[in-house]
Amino acid sequence: MSSLIVLIAAAIYLVAYFTYGKRLEKNVVKADPNRPTPAVALKDGVDYYPAHPFVLYGHHFASIAGAGPILGPAMAMAWGWLPSLMWVWLGNIFIGSIHDYLSLMASVRYEGKSIQYVAGKIMSKRTSYIFELFVYFALILVVAAFTVTLAQTFVADPSVPTASIGFIIAAVISGYIMYRTSWGMKGGTVIGLILVALSIWLGYVFPIKLSTQTWYVLTFIYIVFAAALPVWILLQPRDYLNAYILWVGLILGGISFLFLAKGFNFPAYTTFSPNIVGGKPSPFWPTVPLVIACGALSGFHSLVASGTSSKQLDSELSGLLVGYGSMFTEGFLSTIVIISVAVFGLSALEGAADKLTQMNINLNMLKAGGTYLGQNYLKSAGAVGGPLGPFYFGYAKGLESILGIPFKIGRTFAGLWVSCFVLTTLDTTNRLARFAWAEIFEPLRESSPGLYAFIANRWVGSLIAAIFGVGLAWGGALSLLWPAFAGANQLLASIALLTVAVWVTNVQKASAGYKWAAIIPAMFLWLTVTVALFWYLVAVVPAQAGIAKYTIGGMIVVMLILNFWLLYDFSKALKRGSQLFEPTT
């Protein structure tokens, strides 16, 4: 069974890339290699800097991935492996890939500006400001949720933070060699990979044990610096090297489960409403986009695509690999996660029988599947290290069974895998937040240029976003922050899709079929996530304790109001037609 799923996934993604993706490139985007990209035309050495396509692919994929394509599907196994797999594949092909690629290319046609800026150009100036506020709230939730995830990962396995710190140093050295010496990309790659391997070894020798709060403080300092420094110093080389870790992980996992040829011991389906979001019974529709998030689609991807990637694209023909290909790679990663848990997830729980007994969970009833498993799966995962525990166990078992890699090494590598993605997402998010912060105060640029220069300063913008995000993480539990982030994130995806649907229709003059290929998933997603957030406010938020409940609840209410406002602007823009919109560059 594991072999069959790996083969089907690979076939689906390859066929979709070379058929649907190529047609989008030719008939909708009309990519032109002779049209200078913003990275070339506006090169400034800080944010605008053309990158090699594979370097940018590494940055883009590492930034959009985070823990989302791993943590989300791991949690969604409470519904069973089949519903999770179906949502990942269908969401990837019909929503996520279109959203990511068109967001990237729309931004490229508007000087690499943000998707919210593009919305202002093709809808109205008011749309841009509303969108900007919405995005800023969403980014703060991203910083908060991933700060908690990172700190928990570091505390659970002290070898991971040592390796992660070494990885950051390796990236800085590698970036210097790539861009400032004659050794160039090849030299930087070789030296960087050697240093990454050394970092993993140092993790075993010198594990770092610190408290959760201490990691919060260190994460705060890191993201302030990482988000303000020029991209070539840390962001580009770090994400590029991270892509190698990703590929090694994907190849090892893909080969292992391809040749494992082992059946699933996890049920295909448990119940329609397992206890997932905030411990409450969570119906598959409309809550699945909140839980699986990046594994199928993610609004955060549009922010990365239009925030950092569009400023580094060397040619319009590189856009398909970066924007479209990265989403499919993320979907394949989520597929490996689902297979890992489906094959070995219940075995992981069997190994923690004593802890399950102490938690008043009946192991035999779990193994029987059905409603009992759905209602107790996430709680039982706490006995093996949380929602990611069954994945770590299953992935390491797969590597051990086929490749002979010791279980402990495979498990630690899986942990490093996750932490690297979380780090890349965190600093990219903080960078995007400072962009959004500066754009919110754009009206001051002419009326109060001195005040604007201070507010828009890259260090000030980075510092403020880090204060809000890490501050929220300090008092927020992951079970509350994750679905709040995921809901805001998917609402953002629907709004970004509405924006590119207007761009495709009124600016690119796409045919009716391609126009509806953007509008239908946008409306479906908008309805699904809007209903899900109302459900979240009524069913989940009131049952939580602490100030985080009021903070997150208030942010969700504000975002829902802005969401309806943006839908109104979208319908007006679509009706007005193309003659009122600005031409592309």
Side-chain angles (χ1 to χ4, degrees):
M1 191 65 177
S2 62
S3 307
L4 181 64
I5 298 298
V6 170
L7 289 173
I8 291 175
I12 287 175
Y13 289 132
L14 286 173
V15 169
Y17 184 91
F18 287 105
T19 56
Y20 197 24
K22 286 292 183 182
R23 289 178 182 174
L24 288 172
E25 180 187 58
K26 179 181 178 182
N27 300 322
V28 176
V29 172
K30 300 165 187 170
D32 181 359
N34 297 316
R35 190 194 323 244
T37 61
V40 175
L42 304 173
K43 181 178 177 181
D44 64 4
V46 178
D47 294 320
Y48 290 86
Y49 201 93
H52 188 284
F54 288 109
V55 173
L56 185 56
Y57 167 81
H59 155 70
H60 186 78
F61 176 69
S63 296
I64 65 173
I70 300 174
L71 181 57
M75 294 172 69
M77 289 297 287
W79 277 299
W81 64 263
L82 185 58
S84 304
L85 203 58
M86 289 299 100
W87 176 252
V88 166
W89 287 353
L90 295 176
N92 269 186
I93 294 169
F94 294 109
I95 306 178
S97 56
I98 296 173
H99 165 276
D100 290 18
Y101 179 50
L102 296 184
S103 297
L104 172 66
M105 298 313 296
S107 171
V108 166
R109 296 292 171 80
Y110 283 92
E111 300 181 340
K113 297 289 181 63
S114 66
I115 189 68
Q116 48 274 35
Y117 176 90
V118 175
K121 285 293 182 185
I122 63 176
M123 294 192 201
S124 72
K125 186 172 287 186
R126 180 185 67 185
T127 307
S128 178
Y129 292 134
I130 295 172
F131 203 167
E132 205 71 71
L133 287 170
F134 183 95
V135 164
Y136 198 72
F137 280 125
L139 289 172
I140 294 302
L141 283 173
V142 174
V143 173
F146 281 74
T147 296
V148 174
T149 304
L150 183 70
Q152 289 183 351
T153 301
F154 281 1
V155 170
D157 188 347
S159 65
V160 175
T162 307
S164 299
I165 293 170
F167 183 87
I168 292 169
I169 296 171
V172 173
I173 295 172
S174 179
Y176 180 81
I177 294 172
M178 282 184 189
Y179 294 113
R180 291 293 185 273
T181 73
S182 59
W183 291 11
M185 184 172 170
K186 289 181 180 178
T189 301
V190 172
I191 298 296
L193 291 176
I194 292 173
L195 292 176
V196 168
L198 178 63
S199 300
I200 296 173
W201 176 76
L202 287 173
Y204 282 105
V205 181
F206 302 107
I208 300 176
K209 297 180 180 179
L210 297 174
S211 68
T212 301
Q213 286 70 27
T214 303
W215 285 122
Y216 285 164
V217 173
L218 295 177
T219 300
F220 171 85
I221 296 170
Y222 168 73
I223 62 176
V224 169
F225 278 89
L229 290 172
V231 290
W232 67 269
I233 292 180
L234 175 60
L235 188 140
Q236 280 187 359
R238 192 266 337 265
D239 291 355
Y240 171 65
L241 292 178
N242 206 22
Y244 281 92
I245 291 183
L246 159 74
W247 278 111
V248 169
L250 276 180
I251 291 171
L252 293 180
I255 291 174
S256 297
F257 288 104
L258 178 63
F259 290 100
L260 186 63
K262 194 168 184 177
F264 291 172
N265 71 357
F266 206 92
Y269 172 76
T270 60
T271 177
F272 182 73
S273 298
N275 293 349
I276 300 181
V277 180
K280 301 291 182 182
S282 310
F284 183 76
W285 192 91
T287 55
V288 63
L290 277 69
V291 176
I292 291 186
C294 306
L297 60 105
S298 168
F300 178 70
H301 297 186
S302 69
L303 303 185
V304 176
S306 67
T308 54
S309 298
S310 63
K311 297 178 177 65
Q312 302 173 65
L313 198 70
D314 67 336
S315 164
E316 289 196 353
L317 292 184
S318 302
L320 193 67
L321 171 68
V322 175
Y324 202 75
S326 293
M327 182 70 257
F328 281 175
T329 312
E330 191 163 345
F332 190 73
L333 169 59
S334 292
T335 302
I336 294 297
V337 173
I338 291 170
I339 294 173
S340 302
V341 180
V343 174
F344 293 110
L346 289 182
S347 299
L349 297 179
E350 283 179 335
D354 293 341
K355 289 185 178 178
L356 291 176
T357 301
Q358 294 171 9
M359 297 164 70
N360 294 320
I361 294 176
N362 188 311
L363 178 60
N364 291 326
M365 292 181 70
L366 279 181
K367 293 166 64 177
T371 302
Y372 187 83
L373 175 61
Q375 292 178 340
N376 292 280
Y377 175 68
L378 280 188
K379 183 179 177 182
S380 64
V384 291
L388 290 172
F391 163 65
Y392 293 155
F393 181 91
Y395 183 83
K397 275 291 184 185
L399 266 56
E400 185 180 54
S401 301
I402 298 299
L403 301 174
I405 297 174
F407 175 81
K408 186 177 179 182
I409 293 178
R411 194 184 186 287
T412 301
F413 179 76
L416 177 64
W417 207 16
V418 173
S419 71
C420 284
F421 288 129
V422 173
L423 272 170
T424 57
T425 301
L426 265 173
D427 55 39
T428 299
T429 301
N430 217 45
R431 181 178 292 266
L432 295 173
R434 79 167 169 85
F435 290 161
W437 175 260
E439 289 183 5
I440 288 173
F441 291 95
E442 184 71 21
L444 294 177
R445 183 191 287 270
E446 293 185 3
S447 60
S448 303
L451 179 59
Y452 175 78
F454 172 75
I455 291 175
N457 179 276
R458 55 187 163 127
W459 293 100
V460 173
S462 299
L463 184 65
I464 291 174
I467 289 172
F468 285 148
V470 178
L472 191 58
W474 201 279
L478 184 61
S479 62
L480 186 61
L481 283 172
W482 184 262
F485 139 70
N489 184 41
Q490 304 308 56
L491 261 183
L492 177 60
S494 73
I495 296 168
L497 266 173
L498 294 176
T499 300
V500 298
V502 173
W503 181 66
V504 165
T505 302
N506 293 337
V507 178
Q508 295 301 99
K509 310 288 188 184
S511 63
Y514 289 112
K515 178 181 72 174
W516 289 109
I519 294 177
I520 291 175
M523 295 308 300
F524 168 76
L525 191 61
W526 187 93
L527 177 65
T528 299
V529 185
T530 300
V531 173
L533 281 184
F534 274 115
W535 170 84
Y536 178 77
L537 279 174
V538 173
V540 179
V541 171
Q544 307 302 318
I547 192 169
K549 173 178 70 174
Y550 300 102
T551 305
I552 294 174
M555 292 173 73
I556 296 296
V557 169
V558 171
M559 285 190 286
L560 278 171
I561 294 171
L562 298 176
N563 183 50
F564 277 95
W565 208 338
L566 286 167
L567 182 68
Y568 173 72
D569 283 355
F570 162 75
S571 62
K572 283 182 61 179
L574 209 58
K575 288 178 182 176
R576 279 202 303 263
S578 60
Q579 67 275 17
L580 298 180
F581 299 96
E582 295 190 7
T584 54
T585 56

